[in-house]
Amino acid sequence: MQRYEGRIAAVIGGGSGMGRAISHRLASEGAFVYVTDLSAESASKVAAEIVAEGGQATAVTVDATNNDDLRALFAKIDEEKGVLHALHAQVGMPGPGGLDVDDAAWQRNIDVNVKSAYYSTTLGFELLKKAGGKGSVTLTSSTSALIGSPFSPIYSMTKGALVPFGRSLALNGAKDGIRVNVICPGQVKTPMLAQFFGREPGSDVTALAADFVATIPLGRGAEPEEIASVIAFLNSDDASYITGVTIPVDGGLTAQ
């Protein structure tokens, strides 16, 4: 399928894991993808992979918690392409475990999980308006936003903020034909997975991850490509009448 032929996409946090898979998937369907990441090396590697496979992509180093970086990104896209059709906000981090969170860690979690999502999307709205009713935004939240995390309440709080934000942004963008949707993945096999299960020193990450998998009805974690397929659908014309929704992509975890 070439659902993105002639379209421009930006993946904020596209240098690894789910973001990498999303960048590849959108490019494979014809999009020109701006792969952005805090790591210049990671963004460049993913963009090079896409080009080597015959796709179109360019790498941009972006700190998604820095609004000047985000403004510079959208100015670059505007200058080079003049429009943006698909914008995905992937940036996030695991929260510290427990309730004893110092001020610096609290603020860091707010900046990475909430501030980055807010400004990564809202600062791109003017470009999305130029898509002639084809503009779409997706955000990655978490199942912890829906069922709560007893291990990291701050993670549930920060990821939970994206759900009503997505609904509000969808209502705001509707008049300009901009759709906004949120996904809530469960366990996904990415490099960050170990950080979720290794918050406490000496944790047996393998055992903890296996225990979590045992609670998933489908009996396994997701591959990053399975998350990417949902994002590719939501940002395409196949989902043209879907906006303001939150979709668990979790193997049935939240259906229990």
Side-chain angles (χ1 to χ4, degrees):
M1 293 184 293
Q2 291 295 301
R3 295 181 292 190
Y4 290 86
E5 192 70 41
R7 297 193 180 185
I8 311 303
V11 180
I12 314 298
S16 66
M18 286 180 274
R20 174 181 177 273
I22 291 163
S23 297
H24 273 274
R25 179 60 183 263
L26 297 180
S28 75
E29 293 197 31
F32 184 103
V33 182
Y34 283 84
V35 182
T36 86
D37 203 90
L38 180 61
S39 166
E41 180 181 1
S42 297
S44 296
K45 181 179 179 182
V46 173
E49 291 170 352
I50 289 171
V51 171
E53 293 168 357
Q56 303 177 83
T58 190
V60 186
T61 306
V62 172
D63 177 352
T65 68
N66 184 314
N67 291 349
D68 288 338
D69 275 13
L70 291 168
R71 290 188 180 97
L73 166 68
F74 294 123
K76 176 181 175 67
I77 297 173
D78 193 17
E79 179 181 357
E80 294 177 355
K81 304 297 182 182
V83 66
L84 182 61
H85 298 89
L87 174 57
H88 178 67
Q90 179 61 42
V91 172
M93 66 178 291
L99 301 178
D100 187 12
V101 180
D102 64 45
D103 287 354
W106 189 92
Q107 189 61 55
R108 179 62 178 162
N109 276 259
I110 293 293
D111 287 346
V112 173
N113 289 347
V114 181
K115 179 185 177 183
S116 74
Y118 183 87
Y119 287 106
S120 291
T121 53
T122 59
L123 290 177
F125 245 49
E126 290 305 313
L127 269 178
L128 290 162
K129 289 178 183 179
K130 297 181 180 182
K134 302 291 187 181
S136 177
V137 173
T138 45
L139 302 102
T140 295
S141 180
S142 167
T143 53
S144 292
L146 304 177
I147 59 177
S149 168
F151 308 106
S152 180
I154 191 174
Y155 183 69
S156 286
M157 181 183 79
T158 55
K159 282 299 189 178
L162 272 58
V163 174
F165 172 60
R167 290 198 296 266
S168 298
L169 200 58
L171 295 175
N172 183 279
K175 63 184 182 299
D176 296 302
I178 300 171
R179 298 181 299 105
V180 183
N181 294 293
V182 179
I183 66 163
C184 291
Q187 187 184 112
V188 185
K189 300 172 187 176
T190 71
M192 191 178 287
L193 183 61
Q195 297 179 38
F196 284 94
F197 293 103
R199 291 185 178 100
E200 300 299 326
S203 298
D204 186 340
V205 173
T206 300
L208 290 171
D211 288 344
F212 188 85
V213 165
T215 69
I216 300 172
L218 287 185
R220 62 177 179 84
E223 299 292 340
E225 291 75 18
E226 293 177 298
I227 306 302
S229 67
V230 179
I231 294 299
F233 165 69
L234 288 172
N235 284 309
S236 77
D237 288 347
D238 285 342
S240 59
Y241 204 58
I242 299 175
T243 192
V245 305
T246 297
I247 301 178
V249 189
D250 63 359
L253 181 67
T254 57
Q256 301 178 94

